[in-house]
């Protein structure tokens, strides 16, 4: 499945950067955004995952995220998540940047995680002047009405602590990702259609810096013809094999 060169490069790597997308959670039963029957298709997520949609109809957008939490609640990490967590233990420097908001990497045991698009299990006040920090969702007892619940400090609507389309990513998350990419000598991009900016620029930056970029995705993407190696396989099947081949105890 993987070239000898990829295995040798990963084995010799001092610093590994992994970028994941919705495809890594697909093996846990989480619908992807653009796949068949994906979230995108059923709920026009793009029209709901925006500040404008929330301003126009906060209740609908809140219910959209409640629906997604309901889907996610019983789901568990899959072998792809666990392989990434075990890879982190085998290399001296490791960064995982995920576009996913489902928290499955953390549940699987990954430590150094940059949540580029936030976390669906956290909420924060939607008022830009409110000092209220993001808090775990379960802390905010969701009354039946009004929806969304209101901030205890300023009375503004609470919102999911995620990055919507048209919103800037958290500058700290971006700068931490850029620093780690500069340090990386091996880059794995897995389970992403590589369409959403600025995450989709990250594998290209590494590639342009001469870093070995390995893509894992059952479908070809814009990256497939550019990066050093592209393996058309699911993450749940490929990642455990990759870790096994590179770090199997001799
Ligand atoms: C920004 C959180 C600066 C919310 C998400 C016009 C107007 C405004 C903005 C833009 C514009 N044009 C471009 C932009 C920028 C925009 C963007 O990139 N749009 C795209 C759609 C063109 N980006 C932004 O707005 C970002 N902010 O740029 O700020 C700015 C500000 C104002 C104006 C301009 C610029 C913020 C982007 C963050 C959006 N929030 N999520 C929520 O989840 O509700 S993004 C959302 O898409 C998810 O996080 C998801 O992860 C992410 C990316 O998608 P993928 O993860 O790749 O998922 P997808 O379904 O696409 O692909 C799944 C892949 O998995 C497929 O390739 C499939 O083959 C593969 N797969 C399937 N099964 C498996 C598998 N792989 C492995 N194993 C399997 N088993």
């Amino acid at each position: 499945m993987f070239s000898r060169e990829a295995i040798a490069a990963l084995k010799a790597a001092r610093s590994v950067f992994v970028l994941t997308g919705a495809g890594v959670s697909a093996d846990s039963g989480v619908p992807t955004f653009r796949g068949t029957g994906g979230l995108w298709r059923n709920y026009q997520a793009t029209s709901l995952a925006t500040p404008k949609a929330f301003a126009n109809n906060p209740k609908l957008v809140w219910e959209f995220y409640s629906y997604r939490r309901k889907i996610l609640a019983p789901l568990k990490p899959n072998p792809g998540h666990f392989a990434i967590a075990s890879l982190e233990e085998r290399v001296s420097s490791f960064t995982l940047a995920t576009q996913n908001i489902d928290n499955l990497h953390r549940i699987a045991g990954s430590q150094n995680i940059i949540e580029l698009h936030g976390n669906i299990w956290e909420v924060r006040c939607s008022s830009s002047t409110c000092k209220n920090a993001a808090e775990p969702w379960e802390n905010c007892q969701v009354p039946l009405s009004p929806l969304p619940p209101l901030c205890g400090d300023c009375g503004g609507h609470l919102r999911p602590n995620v990055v919507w389309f048209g919103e800037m990513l958290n500058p700290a998350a971006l700068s931490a990702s850029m620093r780690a990419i500069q340090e990386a000598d091996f880059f794995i991009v897995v389970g992403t259609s590589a369409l959403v900016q600025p995450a989709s620029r990250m594998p290209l930056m590494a590639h342009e810096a001469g870093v070995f970029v390995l893509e894992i995705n059952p479908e070809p993407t814009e990256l497939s013809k550019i990066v050093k190696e592209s393996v058309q396989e699911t993450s749940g099947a490929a990642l455990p094999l990759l870790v096994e081949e590179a770090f199997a105890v001799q």
Side-chain angles (χ1 to χ4, degrees), residues 15-16 20 37 96 106 129 201:
S15 174
V16 173
T20 63
L96 166 62
R106 188 164 286 110
T129 54
R201 278 250 355 108

Side-chain angles (χ1 to χ4, degrees), residues 22 27 33-34 65 68 99 117 163 166-167 192-193 197 217:
D27 287 338
F33 282 73
R34 296 173 185 81
Y65 283 90
R68 290 174 67 187
Q99 300 172 84
H117 297 160
V163 181
E167 290 189 316
T192 179
S193 58
Q197 300 276 358
N217 191 323

